[in-house]
Amino acid sequence: MSKRPRVGVLALQGDVREHARVLADLGADVDLVRRPTELADVHGLVIPGGESSVIDKLSRAFGMQGPIREAIAAGMPVYGTCAGLILLADRITDGIEGQETFGGLDVTVQRNAFGGQVESFETDLDVPLLGDPPVHAVFIRAPLVLTVGAGVETVASLDDGRVVAVRHGTLLGTSFHPEVTGERRFHEVFLDTVRAA
Ligand code: GLN
């Protein structure tokens, strides 16, 4: 593949533009993906933050659930932030009735895990995968990773040990939103995975 990877942002709902901007700034060709034919044209996919139950419903309405599951099973690199992490999880808690995920990441993710007490907050995270400086992480009605299956790498945790970023093979998920703070290193890791895939 050329040095300019062609990647998609799932554009059913959520902060699609923010991701598209970061990826374009990093030199990728970026497609907004709503249909199976558009998915077939890209070599990696970002699932944005937003509302996971809405993205789930729309993905089924647009005939995208099956193709995305197949692409994940075939090894397509996918990066999910917040709602996107929920959609990558094999198991979720506190979903709405009937809520489904694409799955692929062997983790259990709790939706709206900080609801009530602190819905949104910001903190600095040490992320060994990215080195210095720490990541300034913005959590917006964020999910938490409750359990991590064998082979899943914990990429970042809060000070109390709760897991907020994971990676397994070609899949990467963060509870927080690098795309809103100018943090580009997670997208760089994603694009490196796309180039290597
Ligand atoms: N609470 C949202 C959900 O359940 C996620 C919020 C976000 O993506 N910032 O999908």
Side-chain angles (χ1 to χ4, degrees):
M1 196 189 308
S2 73
K3 286 267 159 63
R4 246 184 119 75
R6 187 160 180 196
V7 295
V9 181
L10 185 63
L12 299 173
Q13 191 265 340
D15 68 336
V16 174
R17 274 183 213 181
E18 288 78 357
H19 281 287
R21 189 170 308 131
V22 175
L23 293 165
D25 284 352
L26 289 171
D29 286 327
V30 185
D31 290 354
L32 303 189
V33 169
R34 296 188 186 85
R35 295 167 201 287
T37 50
E38 293 161 348
L39 181 67
D41 283 342
V42 297
H43 302 285
L45 185 70
V46 168
I47 306 178
E51 174 47 55
S52 57
S53 60
V54 173
I55 297 173
D56 165 41
K57 276 190 191 153
L58 290 173
S59 74
R60 287 187 264 157
F62 280 61
M64 288 296 280
Q65 187 193 60
I68 290 174
R69 285 180 172 171
E70 283 157 26
I72 290 171
M76 174 184 265
V78 183
Y79 173 33
T81 62
C82 203
L85 166 65
I86 297 169
L87 283 152
L88 282 177
D90 280 347
R91 297 166 300 278
I92 60 171
T93 65
D94 299 320
I96 67 163
E97 200 180 323
Q99 184 169 348
E100 298 178 9
T101 69
F102 303 126
L105 263 181
D106 182 11
V107 294
T108 305
V109 167
Q110 181 185 10
R111 251 181 100 229
N112 299 333
F114 302 94
Q117 26 162 355
V118 241
E119 297 233 316
S120 301
F121 62 100
E122 303 184 16
T123 190
D124 287 331
L125 293 175
D126 276 320
V127 182
L129 174 70
L130 305 181
D132 282 331
V135 169
H136 186 68
V138 176
F139 293 80
I140 304 165
R141 292 178 54 77
L144 253 185
V145 180
L146 296 182
T147 67
V148 172
V152 178
E153 175 191 353
T154 295
V155 169
S157 313
L158 298 172
D159 286 344
D160 61 12
R162 290 184 291 173
V163 176
V164 291
V166 288
R167 179 163 72 155
H168 191 195
T170 54
L171 304 179
L172 175 68
T174 58
S175 296
F176 47 90
H177 291 271
E179 73 281 6
V180 303
T181 54
E183 170 62 65
R184 297 175 170 190
R185 290 172 290 171
F186 286 99
H187 293 78
E188 277 172 4
V189 168
F190 163 71
L191 291 175
D192 287 344
T193 308
V194 173
R195 287 189 194 96

